[in-house]
Amino acid sequence: MTQDKKTYHHGDLRQSLLQAATQIIRDGGVDALSMRKLADNVGVSRTAPYHHFKDKNELLCAIAEAGFADHIRAVSELPQQHPDLEPRLLFELYVLGYIRFADANPETYDLMFGKEIWKLGQPTESLKGISKCCFQHWLEWIETLQDAGILTDKHPTLRVAQASWATLHGLCRLLNDGIYVNREDLEEMGKTAAAMLLAQAGT
Amino acid sequence: MTQDKKTYHHGDLRQSLLQAATQIIRDGGVDALSMRKLADNVGVSRTAPYHHFKDKNELLCAIAEAGFADHIRAVSELPQQHPDLEPRLLFELYVLGYIRFADANPETYDLMFGKEIWKLGQPTESLKGISKCCFQHWLEWIETLQDAGILTDKHPTLRVAQASWATLHGLCRLLNDGIYVNREDLEEMGKTAAAMLLAQAGT
DNA sequence: CGATCAATCTTGACACCGTCAAGTTATTAC
DNA sequence: GTAATAACTTGACGGTGTCAAGATTGATCG
């Protein structure tokens, strides 16, 4: 637990806190993270973290923010890695990528898109910013797919983006929240969902 | 708070607890519910509830269970109320009904389909039962729609059911968790989602 | 270099929480 | 009427987030 203390001033406590918190959350879920345990974990007193984060909510926001950064990076790389792939397959790839991210980082995903921050807490301005940016990416891509004729353009881009995102999000939630869905079925479900969303190409 | 106490034995404490708990949750969310406040609320000591529910988890399960009962009842009524409606429109109606339920009872919905019980806690056997039954209904209906040719039969019924359910669930979560979605857009989003899921009729 | 100031970290305290153990009271079964 | 049992009580333990006030240190300026 308590690391050997050397100096009164820690040095880069903020960074250490974020790192330790991320680890704790990865191991035992968001609920396993308490400010006190966290402080003890980095070898500092209970209330020391409050000099770097206004409250627990702000800490969680910071972690979520890092999650968005990861997510955006992963997504941006996709089209570059597969430059000549048919849009339909690229879409499926994206869907699978999204789901895999949620599966690999369930707790981070929970923070990014869960009520803990967005409903019960208060998202930081910078968190709002990066998440908005993330959705913007999605929106633009949906528009591209509409233009390419593989997603319906009978409905506004915003609605199509919301509805398709909801599908991905729903899959991830069902999985991560432990409701019915088995992990082994994940890929297949993702493919089915992708197919159902795309299927109206001809319409 | 504390009601006037008449007898040592309350009489039907279990029922009173459920009722009060439901109210508290409706008012202030699941997090507003504490065993202590609940007990105080019905005029009984802190630990009295533990003679009727093993722990908080069991209480929540009981509430969720009631939610499923309501939900199933509402859904079952639908086809009867609109006996001669075209299946496509009936599907849209179902989608809207599902979303409206989640919108009208956000906290109950959260309990029914949230990680609080299914991942962090332990669903009661009877809760598992009724939720399974609920999904079974959905599954059967999806099959009907596949047979009627308005939902794809290129994928197994189970997968189509999961994918379409995920879409509804995702919409509800985005709404209830306070992520991006505006309540005013709800109906329109539901319709878009329904349309996208159904659109492959011709395929 | 020395004094000051602000940042950083500490201990103490408060009001909550879930729930276990042991004791009290009322109801039921014989 | 007595014994058993179910319902309910108080007391206690260890946990939580975070506020207030004090201690320590590094940085800044004369």
Side-chain angles (χ1 to χ4, degrees):
Chain A
M1 308 301 126
T2 311
Q3 296 177 352
D4 39 335
K5 177 82 167 308
K6 287 156 188 169
T7 59
Y8 189 88
H9 282 206
H10 180 286
D12 58 345
L13 184 52
R14 193 192 147 95
Q15 207 52 39
S16 300
L17 286 172
L18 276 178
Q19 200 170 317
T22 306
Q23 190 57 48
I24 291 176
I25 285 179
R26 194 188 313 277
D27 289 350
V30 186
D31 310 280
L33 176 70
S34 82
M35 294 300 265
R36 296 167 104 108
K37 263 193 296 184
L38 174 60
D40 187 50
N41 214 284
V42 302
V44 101
S45 82
R46 287 163 280 147
T47 59
Y50 286 88
H51 293 266
H52 298 270
F53 300 96
K54 205 192 78 197
D55 51 21
K56 193 178 182 181
N57 174 72
E58 261 199 6
L59 205 178
L60 295 180
C61 283
I63 297 174
E65 215 174 310
F68 272 106
D70 286 353
H71 185 247
I72 288 178
R73 185 165 357 96
V75 167
S76 314
E77 284 172 357
L78 256 189
Q80 296 166 13
Q81 289 176 344
H82 310 270
D84 300 320
L85 200 61
E86 191 193 345
R88 293 179 112 87
L89 290 178
L90 192 61
F91 182 78
E92 187 182 293
L93 222 59
Y94 183 97
V95 168
L96 292 181
Y98 186 98
I99 295 178
R100 283 191 197 121
F101 176 85
D103 183 36
N105 314 286
E107 304 298 338
T108 307
Y109 186 87
D110 224 37
L111 276 182
M112 291 163 64
F113 301 111
K115 68 170 178 171
E116 179 97 30
I117 287 178
W118 294 97
K119 184 181 181 185
L120 305 177
Q122 284 171 331
T124 307
E125 281 308 315
S126 72
L127 177 61
K128 277 198 242 178
I130 196 167
S131 76
K132 207 159 203 163
C133 163
C134 188
F135 184 68
Q136 195 62 33
H137 276 306
W138 178 253
L139 207 58
E140 285 165 14
W141 195 32
I142 294 294
E143 192 167 19
T144 310
L145 294 180
Q146 282 181 306
D147 292 344
I150 68 172
L151 269 183
T152 180
D153 55 0
K154 283 187 184 171
H155 299 82
T157 303
L158 178 60
R159 296 283 168 260
V160 175
Q162 288 172 322
S164 51
W165 182 31
T167 303
L168 301 199
H169 181 59
L171 280 176
C172 295
R173 295 312 300 232
L174 289 178
L175 174 77
N176 280 350
D177 295 350
I179 303 172
Y180 275 139
V181 176
N182 299 323
R183 285 192 63 195
E184 309 93 61
D185 302 343
L186 195 56
E187 303 269 314
E188 204 180 323
M189 280 177 50
K191 285 181 186 173
T192 303
M196 288 182 71
L197 291 174
L198 287 176
Q200 64 248 316
T203 328
Chain B
M1 304 306 120
T2 313
Q3 297 179 350
D4 40 334
K5 178 80 167 311
K6 288 158 189 170
T7 59
Y8 189 89
H9 281 204
H10 180 285
D12 58 345
L13 184 52
R14 193 192 146 94
Q15 206 52 39
S16 300
L17 286 171
L18 276 178
Q19 202 170 316
T22 307
Q23 190 56 49
I24 291 176
I25 285 178
R26 194 189 312 278
D27 289 350
V30 186
D31 310 282
L33 177 70
S34 81
M35 295 299 266
R36 297 168 103 108
K37 263 194 294 184
L38 173 61
D40 186 51
N41 215 284
V42 302
V44 100
S45 81
R46 282 164 283 148
T47 59
Y50 286 88
H51 292 263
H52 299 271
F53 300 96
K54 205 193 77 198
D55 51 21
K56 192 177 183 182
N57 175 70
E58 262 199 6
L59 206 178
L60 296 180
C61 283
I63 298 175
E65 216 175 309
F68 272 107
D70 285 354
H71 185 248
I72 289 179
R73 185 164 357 97
V75 167
S76 314
E77 286 173 357
L78 256 188
Q80 296 165 13
Q81 288 177 342
H82 310 269
D84 300 321
L85 200 61
E86 192 194 343
R88 292 180 113 86
L89 290 178
L90 193 61
F91 182 78
E92 187 182 293
L93 222 60
Y94 184 98
V95 169
L96 291 180
Y98 186 98
I99 294 178
R100 282 193 198 119
F101 176 85
D103 183 35
N105 314 287
E107 304 299 337
T108 308
Y109 186 86
D110 224 39
L111 275 182
M112 291 162 65
F113 301 111
K115 67 171 179 171
E116 179 97 31
I117 288 177
W118 294 98
K119 185 181 180 183
L120 305 177
Q122 284 170 328
T124 307
E125 281 307 315
S126 71
L127 178 62
K128 276 198 242 177
I130 195 168
S131 76
K132 208 161 202 159
C133 163
C134 188
F135 184 69
Q136 197 62 32
H137 276 307
W138 177 253
L139 208 58
E140 284 165 15
W141 195 31
I142 293 293
E143 192 167 20
T144 311
L145 294 179
Q146 283 182 305
D147 291 345
I150 70 172
L151 269 183
T152 181
D153 54 0
K154 284 186 182 169
H155 299 83
T157 303
L158 177 60
R159 296 282 168 261
V160 175
Q162 288 173 322
S164 51
W165 182 31
T167 304
L168 301 199
H169 182 59
L171 279 176
C172 295
R173 297 311 303 230
L174 289 179
L175 174 77
N176 281 350
D177 295 350
I179 302 170
Y180 274 138
V181 176
N182 299 322
R183 285 192 63 199
E184 311 92 61
D185 301 344
L186 194 57
E187 304 270 312
E188 206 181 320
M189 281 176 50
K191 287 181 186 172
T192 303
M196 289 182 71
L197 291 174
L198 287 176
Q200 64 247 314
T203 327

